[in-house]
Amino acid sequence: MDILRIILAILLPPLGVFLQVGLGLHFWLNILLTILGYIPGIVHAVWIIARR
């Protein structure tokens, strides 16, 4: 299941974070990072998925 979440995190970072943690602080932070730059959103999403 983590492989699927990582693939989703690369394609659409907030979706990967949402599937991992729900509508929490990390989800909204990831949306902000993705808006500011796509790569920071990907890095944050993969980090959240790999950490848990």
Side-chain angles (χ1 to χ4, degrees):
M1 188 69 171
D2 282 344
I3 297 298
L4 178 63
R5 287 183 186 143
I6 289 175
I7 291 170
L8 286 173
I10 292 170
L11 297 175
L12 191 59
L15 180 60
V17 173
F18 173 74
L19 291 175
Q20 187 70 26
V21 298
L23 286 175
L25 174 68
H26 289 295
F27 174 74
W28 296 109
L29 178 61
N30 190 268
I31 286 181
L32 179 66
L33 288 171
T34 303
I35 289 171
L36 293 175
Y38 189 67
I39 300 299
I42 292 173
V43 170
H44 178 257
V46 171
W47 179 69
I48 290 295
I49 293 168
R51 190 181 81 176
R52 293 182 183 232

